[in-house]
Amino acid sequence: LEFLANHTPGFSGADIANVCNEAALTAARKNKPAIDRQDFLDAVDRIIGGLERKSKIITPEEKKSIAHHEAGHATVSWLLPHANPLFKVTIVPRGQALGAAWYLPEERQITTTEQMMDEMAATMGGRAAEEIINGRISTGALSDLEKITKQAYAMVSYFGMSEKVGHISFYDSQDAGYNFNKPYSEKTAELIDAEAKELINRAHEKAIEVLNANMAGFTELAELLLSREVIFSEDMERIFGPRAKKAGQEETISNEESDNKDN
């Protein structure tokens, strides 16, 4: 149950019921007498990522590049303490994706600058891996670049996480959709662009640094992906060891538990 719960983060009861139904259909298609663990995994993959594209023609060179790309994401996210913990990586084409790295987001209400920077570095891990292994970049990082660009601009213009722009937020919670003017000057716009680019460059450099410092494990992970196509967090732990704990990390206590201790 814990294993399957880790594979369905954020799922509602209806979503889980859909997974169970899809797992039953998957087992029935294979004429199995019972539903097993793999049927549930296939069902989750199908619901999250879409249909497996078995007819998709991928050259060996492309498959190797995809494996290194996803291994780059996995390696950086595993080794940076503030990034979301990874639980699965696959290079099986599904939907529009040629590969995917899935994470188990922490249940937190606020996010610090360190957490956002580590997550951005993990997002840049795929592009960094391409540069290191292939010596060139490709179009495979499009969704990663879209995500990190939006995140960097949000950090600078919404969350006040830039020293040069300052503790200012241009987010308007009361905006009814009729604001046609930027709430800042062209000079500030240029500064926001420069600061967002700086954050992205720092995340990229961090990803390069982590991969170069852990090249043996990174390449071993990519080879494992090429041979098995799917790996889990236990494979990551075997290669890199347990994830590093965050500085000052403590076990959280619910209000009810705290009250019980006081009593």
Side-chain angles (χ1 to χ4, degrees):
L1 286 176
E2 184 178 351
F3 178 82
L4 290 175
N6 286 337
H7 280 70
T8 51
F11 277 40
S12 66
D15 293 329
I16 293 173
N18 193 18
V19 168
C20 294
N21 186 56
E22 186 62 44
L25 292 172
T26 302
R29 290 188 194 102
K30 299 176 182 177
N31 296 317
K32 291 183 179 180
I35 306 169
D36 60 25
R37 166 173 145 156
Q38 189 58 47
D39 297 321
F40 279 105
L41 292 178
D42 292 341
V44 172
D45 289 350
R46 182 166 182 171
I47 289 170
I48 295 178
L51 286 171
E52 182 179 342
R53 294 188 293 169
K54 294 182 179 179
S55 59
K56 184 71 176 178
I57 300 174
I58 300 176
T59 65
E61 184 179 355
E62 286 177 325
K63 188 173 182 179
K64 184 178 180 180
S65 180
I66 294 166
H68 281 100
H69 182 103
E70 298 303 333
H73 284 308
T75 301
V76 178
S77 68
W78 188 265
L79 294 171
L80 292 181
H82 297 290
N84 285 324
L86 179 140
F87 68 87
K88 182 177 181 180
V89 187
T90 177
I91 58 171
V92 176
R94 287 184 180 276
Q96 298 300 314
L98 298 176
W102 295 341
Y103 306 88
L104 186 62
E106 293 181 348
E107 294 183 8
R108 58 189 182 218
Q109 303 305 313
I110 58 175
T111 306
T112 65
T113 305
E114 290 77 15
Q115 289 167 338
M116 296 187 81
M117 287 303 300
D118 277 4
E119 288 170 10
M120 288 172 67
T123 303
M124 288 299 288
R127 169 57 67 90
E130 290 181 19
E131 293 178 79
I132 292 172
I133 299 301
N134 301 328
R136 59 184 184 276
I137 58 177
S138 72
T139 58
L142 174 61
S143 61
D144 299 332
L145 296 176
E146 179 187 7
K147 176 183 176 182
I148 198 174
T149 301
K150 289 179 179 178
Q151 191 166 345
Y153 272 96
M155 291 175 69
V156 175
S157 58
Y158 289 171
F159 303 127
M161 292 179 172
S162 163
E163 290 184 7
K164 291 183 180 179
V165 175
H167 304 297
I168 297 174
S169 175
F170 299 107
Y171 178 75
D172 185 5
S173 60
Q174 304 300 319
D175 183 14
Y178 301 107
N179 185 7
F180 296 105
N181 299 314
K182 291 180 180 179
Y184 45 80
S185 66
E186 286 301 318
K187 184 177 180 180
T188 301
E190 292 178 4
L191 184 59
I192 290 173
D193 289 341
E195 286 294 277
K197 186 176 181 180
E198 173 64 21
L199 289 176
I200 293 171
N201 287 341
R202 280 168 50 192
H204 175 254
E205 290 168 5
K206 186 67 175 178
I208 291 282
E209 177 187 333
V210 171
L211 292 178
N212 280 328
N214 298 273
M215 185 59 65
F218 163 54
T219 52
E220 181 182 349
L221 185 62
E223 291 299 324
L224 189 63
L225 260 177
L226 278 171
S227 61
R228 282 178 29 191
E229 294 191 330
V230 178
I231 59 171
F232 299 99
S233 55
E234 49 263 38
D235 299 307
M236 301 292 297
E237 187 164 348
R238 179 181 57 79
I239 294 173
F240 296 108
R243 290 194 79 215
K245 287 188 177 182
K246 304 168 191 174
Q249 187 179 42
E250 296 177 357
E251 187 176 351
T252 57
I253 314 171
S254 68
N255 290 333
E256 183 179 352
E257 289 172 330
S258 180
D259 291 342
N260 289 338
K261 283 190 175 184
D262 291 340
N263 291 336

